Amino acid sequence: MADTTPSHPAPTSKRPGLQARLNEEFLAEVVLYGIAAIVLALIALRLGGAFFNATNLVSVLEQVPEFALFSLAMAIAMITGGIDLSVIAVADLSAIFAAYIMTNPSIVDALGPDGAIALATVVALGASVLMGLFNGIIIARFGVPALVTTLGTMLLYFGLASGLTGGVGITGMPSAFTDILMLKLGPIPVSFCGLAVLFVLASFYIRNSLFGKTLYLYGDNKVAALFTGLPINRAIMISYALSGLLAGAAGLIMLARFNSMKVGFGDTFLLQAILVAVLAGMDPYGGRGRLLNVLAAVLLLQCVENAFTIEGLSPYAKKMIWGGLLLIFMALNFFVRRIVRRSLTRAALRAG
């Protein structure tokens, strides 16, 4: 497919060089793992064995997959300097498609339970890719900002899901589907093992492939990216299609976990996915951040969420704390980058 010059407005701000970016990524990791050490120490002091026991830690791993997939989708969008606010709506709508297929007697009679599950999975993932690709086409081809595009499609997909279900939940998935999350490799849930492999592969591929380097370059310096001859538009569209695919997979996991699907399921993950991406060092302006750190940030926040539950905090208190943490992490990232840039500037001046 021939690629054309993207119609995005070119930023005029000056971006730091390679050495500054590497220093910023290193310090962002120091901030992430430093915060993790402090938070886990506070949890240990406050909750002790009520948190740090085998049953609870396995429970933390069991609850991570859909949260991690939403966060990975958000992080991929952020590499390009974008954002994907439609991930929850994509997950809900694609899971509703799957729920309809698995609970339709005619389809189950024709294909059998396993065939219906396979068809539902293909339809849900295919629909999620198309929804993500639709986001990417609007952003890449028409130059509409990602924030506006995905906000609009979020409302569109939620509206379609509400129209299909009338706001009523769909229940009664086959046990062969819901039991998938019960599988374990020793004490570790198979779903988490697969998730860890996915993060390792995705992190390696995005850092080393031409596709990944195109995304980082576009997020870091859109003006320079225009003159490289790289397929910028195609990379952006694929990145949002991937974001949709990850959201669709998260929707299927939620469907299996709750044995039902309804519009609005998982809406609390949206803010948390943004929070995780920022905590992991993904620059909201694009161009830097390691995907593998996203999994570490997800585990950290899931530990905090679990500690909140043990403490008996209300959902309203949790949302307030998540919002406060997002502001704190963004402020930390801002000051870290400012310190690095000033340090490098002074070093350059001393070197003459």
Side-chain angles (χ1 to χ4, degrees):
M1 178 176 61
D3 204 78
T4 60
T5 300
S7 50
H8 299 265
T12 56
S13 59
K14 185 178 180 181
R15 303 303 303 272
L18 175 63
Q19 187 59 44
R21 294 200 301 274
L22 292 175
N23 280 282
E24 287 178 10
E25 287 188 348
F26 173 73
L27 284 179
E29 290 177 351
V30 171
V31 170
L32 168 62
Y33 293 106
I35 289 174
I38 293 171
V39 168
L40 292 176
L42 290 174
I43 291 175
L45 289 173
R46 174 71 180 175
L47 299 175
F51 180 89
F52 288 100
N53 61 77
T55 301
N56 189 56
L57 294 178
V58 170
S59 174
V60 168
L61 299 182
E62 288 174 340
Q63 296 170 49
V64 156
E66 59 266 46
F67 181 16
L69 290 174
F70 284 130
S71 302
L72 182 58
M74 191 66 70
I76 290 175
M78 279 191 177
I79 290 175
T80 66
I83 193 169
D84 191 348
L85 299 179
S86 69
V87 287
I88 306 300
V90 170
D92 284 4
L93 183 54
S94 57
I96 284 170
F97 289 152
Y100 268 125
I101 292 172
M102 284 189 280
T103 56
N104 186 302
S106 299
I107 296 176
V108 175
D109 289 343
L111 301 177
D114 292 342
I117 291 172
L119 177 63
T121 302
V122 170
V123 169
L125 295 181
S128 64
V129 169
L130 291 178
M131 285 186 272
L133 183 60
F134 184 55
N135 284 334
I137 290 173
I138 295 175
I139 294 167
R141 292 295 185 188
F142 300 102
V144 181
L147 177 68
V148 177
T149 298
T150 57
L151 179 62
T153 54
M154 177 186 74
L155 298 175
L156 172 65
Y157 300 152
F158 272 142
L160 288 172
S162 297
L164 284 173
T165 62
V168 178
I170 306 171
T171 61
M173 303 306 119
S175 59
F177 179 72
T178 57
D179 289 348
I180 290 174
L181 294 180
M182 305 293 288
L183 299 175
K184 291 188 177 179
L185 188 62
I188 309 298
V190 169
S191 57
F192 180 79
C193 296
L195 188 71
V197 172
L198 171 65
F199 265 87
V200 171
L201 294 177
S203 182
F204 179 82
Y205 182 73
I206 290 291
R207 293 295 284 197
N208 295 284
S209 68
L210 178 62
F211 167 69
K213 290 176 181 176
T214 302
L215 296 183
Y216 276 105
L217 176 61
Y218 180 73
D220 182 61
N221 192 325
K222 294 177 175 57
V223 175
L226 296 178
F227 294 97
T228 60
L230 293 170
I232 302 295
N233 279 353
R234 185 169 58 192
I236 293 171
M237 287 188 282
I238 292 174
S239 71
Y240 279 90
L242 283 175
S243 180
L245 177 63
L246 293 167
L252 288 174
I253 292 174
M254 288 197 298
L255 180 59
R257 188 181 303 285
F258 302 126
N259 194 17
S260 66
M261 182 48 63
K262 184 179 179 182
V263 177
F265 271 16
D267 59 352
T268 57
F269 286 125
L270 183 59
L271 176 61
Q272 294 179 19
I274 298 172
L275 176 62
V276 161
V278 173
L279 176 59
M282 310 305 296
D283 188 344
Y285 294 104
R288 63 182 62 81
R290 299 177 190 276
L291 293 183
L292 203 54
N293 290 333
V294 173
L295 182 58
V298 166
L299 288 170
L300 172 61
L301 289 202
Q302 189 58 52
C303 287
V304 173
E305 171 78 19
N306 195 271
F308 286 167
T309 301
I310 294 174
E311 287 281 12
L313 294 184
S314 70
Y316 307 106
K318 291 179 183 178
K319 285 187 177 181
M320 184 179 68
I321 293 173
W322 291 134
L325 288 174
L326 177 59
L327 292 175
I328 291 171
F329 295 151
M330 291 184 72
L332 279 173
N333 280 330
F334 170 79
F335 285 115
V336 164
R337 292 192 175 97
R338 191 168 73 169
I339 290 170
V340 170
R341 289 169 187 172
R342 286 182 175 179
S343 173
L344 290 174
T345 300
R346 284 196 293 269
L349 290 175
R350 282 196 297 270

